[in-house]
Amino acid sequence: APVSLLSRFRGALVASVVGDCVGGEFEGAEDVPLDRVLQHLSGLEDETRGDGILQYSDDTAMLRCVAQSLLTRMGFDEQDMARSFAKEYSLAPGRGYGAGVVQVLRKLASPQLSDVFQPARAQFGGRGSFGNGGAMRAAPFALAFRNIADVRRYARFGAMLTHSCSLGYNGAVLQALAVHLSMQGDLALPQKFISKLISEMEEVEKDETARSDAKVLNLAEFPYCARLHRVKELMEQNSVSIEEVISELGNGIAALESVPTAIFCVLHCLEPREGLSEHYGGLERTIAYSLALGGDTDTIACMAGAIAGAHYGISAIPQSWLKSCEGAVEAEHLAERLYKLYNDR
Ligand code: 8NA
Ligand code: MG
Ligand code: MG
């Protein structure tokens, strides 16, 4: 049956939270054997474990702030979103935030602050953060705006509240665009999906700042486009090892080392894959595969989850997984409210 748009909305936010919660187990691990991943995931089916035992981290905490702010302001309001991040951090500082971003979040709490983008610009000697913290929370922008130009524009500004390096905010743009295309059903034609993302990012990375940041950081020109071309090449290969994915695309906390990786996870898992449970559907495969890459597992699974959830819809997420994850039910409600906002536009 075709997946309804409402189901895609719910799928996107719930699978994002699920990815964060189940990925926390392996965050920062070098080597994660597939057996351990499958064991961890089958443990969620144990009814006796109780509800909501896997806690969400900064990824979900900030994604909830983005969704809430877009809803209450009925669009993007940088002051409100900044305040929402600061308040969330002050109430629950122990969610595993990146080492640098906590300085921004503390400054954003100051009532005297007039330019809410300023604290982010002061990070890392004025270069700004290129971490994946902007990208991990970008999915709601694709659910709040119909127009692709708006998705691009507001995902960028939303990320710039904490990530002022172009590598940081362009990762958020890429993630939001991937969710946007997935919601339109574009993953039905995977080659076309990746080609569209490449042409979108060619426009985005033409920008002067993006060009000079790439140079300063010793990266090739058009760094996101280059990674997406590698994704395309890996898709065309008959078999791909985990080691190859890590060395070609990365699994780290930099947005460049994780957003294209998350996109690859979704594309790779559109088909059954050796080593992944035969009774798994595509969404389960995507989450499991994301964890098996190791590194920044909660964030890669959170981003891949959002893209996959927008494709497969809410019914692809096992009830036992949903029930095991803190904040999954709230994410479903946020998605329903965003759906209303989207339809009223
Ligand atoms: P961030 O802005 O603090 O960036 C994360 C890290 O990236 C920084 O602490 C630096 O080490 C490095 N970094 C970023 N920009 C620069 C730069 N310009 N120059 C040098 N180093 C730089 O925080 P964030 O919000 O981007 O972080 C998100 C990640 O942190 C997510 O993975 C989230 O889950 C969390 N987290 C990850 C780990 C992990 O081991 N993978 C552990 C705890 C928390
Ligand atoms: Mg996290
Ligand atoms: Mg992480």
Side-chain angles (χ1 to χ4, degrees):
V3 184
S4 75
L5 191 60
L6 175 57
S7 176
R8 293 178 187 273
F9 270 61
R10 293 153 108 184
L13 293 200
V14 174
S16 172
V17 172
V18 168
D20 178 19
C21 290
V22 303
E25 172 81 6
F26 305 109
E27 189 178 27
E30 250 330 292
D31 191 40
V32 184
L34 209 43
D35 292 4
R36 275 194 63 208
V37 172
L38 299 179
Q39 206 172 23
H40 178 52
L41 292 174
S42 67
L44 305 179
E45 286 157 32
D46 182 352
E47 301 275 321
T48 60
R49 290 191 11 158
D51 287 354
I53 44 145
L54 296 176
Q55 294 196 330
Y56 65 74
S57 76
D58 56 331
D59 306 51
T60 298
M62 296 194 91
L63 181 136
R64 285 161 61 120
C65 291
V66 170
Q68 280 287 0
S69 178
L70 291 170
L71 282 165
T72 53
R73 306 303 302 153
M74 293 195 293
F76 180 65
D77 174 341
E78 67 265 24
Q79 302 279 340
D80 184 74
M81 200 172 282
R83 245 179 279 122
S84 172
F85 290 154
K87 187 170 177 213
E88 168 61 34
Y89 175 68
S90 73
L91 291 173
R95 293 264 186 201
Y97 287 87
V101 76
V102 298
Q103 297 173 49
V104 179
L105 297 173
R106 286 198 199 103
K107 291 181 188 170
L108 288 177
S110 163
Q112 283 100 302
L113 185 72
S114 56
D115 179 4
V116 290
F117 294 103
Q118 192 280 324
R121 285 197 296 265
Q123 292 294 96
F124 301 99
R127 190 163 296 164
S129 174
F130 53 61
N132 55 22
M136 71 192 183
R137 61 177 194 249
F141 290 101
L143 278 58
F145 301 100
R146 284 174 171 269
N147 186 311
I148 193 163
D150 288 338
V151 173
R152 232 179 7 230
R153 175 181 163 84
Y154 295 116
R156 179 175 194 257
F157 285 131
M160 284 171 84
L161 290 168
T162 51
H163 291 67
S164 79
C165 176
S166 63
L167 274 301
Y169 60 72
N170 283 343
V173 170
L174 175 57
Q175 168 65 9
L177 289 174
V179 175
H180 170 84
L181 294 182
S182 178
M183 283 215 306
Q184 316 292 312
D186 283 19
L187 277 167
L189 297 169
Q191 291 292 342
K192 213 170 146 197
F193 174 87
I194 194 76
S195 299
K196 268 194 199 174
L197 280 180
I198 292 171
S199 63
E200 285 292 329
M201 291 309 287
E202 277 169 355
E203 285 304 309
V204 168
E205 294 194 300
K206 259 184 194 166
D207 175 77
E208 245 347 282
T209 311
R211 285 171 179 272
S212 76
D213 283 351
K215 212 172 252 166
V216 169
L217 291 166
N218 263 320
L219 298 164
E221 284 189 314
F222 291 76
Y224 280 100
C225 292
R227 298 266 161 154
L228 291 170
H229 279 290
R230 281 187 220 165
V231 169
K232 207 172 173 170
E233 284 159 23
L234 290 173
M235 281 165 73
E236 285 155 7
Q237 260 174 241
N238 286 331
S239 85
V240 184
S241 70
I242 297 268
E243 293 72 26
E244 251 176 305
V245 178
I246 298 170
S247 76
E248 291 290 312
L249 303 175
N251 64 358
I253 55 174
L256 185 64
E257 305 265 303
S258 48
V259 183
T261 310
I263 292 168
F264 176 74
C265 289
V266 179
L267 290 164
H268 184 71
C269 293
L270 287 168
E271 288 165 36
R273 294 289 172 184
E274 206 183 321
L276 294 172
S277 237
E278 275 169 35
H279 70 256
Y280 273 180
L283 187 129
E284 294 149 289
R285 286 195 295 270
T286 304
I287 300 274
Y289 189 75
S290 305
L291 306 197
L293 296 180
D296 197 358
T297 49
D298 66 331
T299 305
I300 294 173
C302 158
M303 297 189 293
I307 302 164
H311 176 62
Y312 299 105
I314 186 72
S315 56
I317 306 168
Q319 273 298 315
S320 62
W321 291 21
L322 197 153
K323 280 190 182 162
S324 307
C325 298
E326 181 195 13
V329 173
E330 288 91 333
E332 197 167 350
H333 293 152
L334 286 170
E336 285 158 9
R337 291 171 59 201
L338 283 164
Y339 178 75
K340 273 208 193 90
L341 177 71
Y342 186 93
N343 278 317
D344 290 345
R345 274 179 196 280

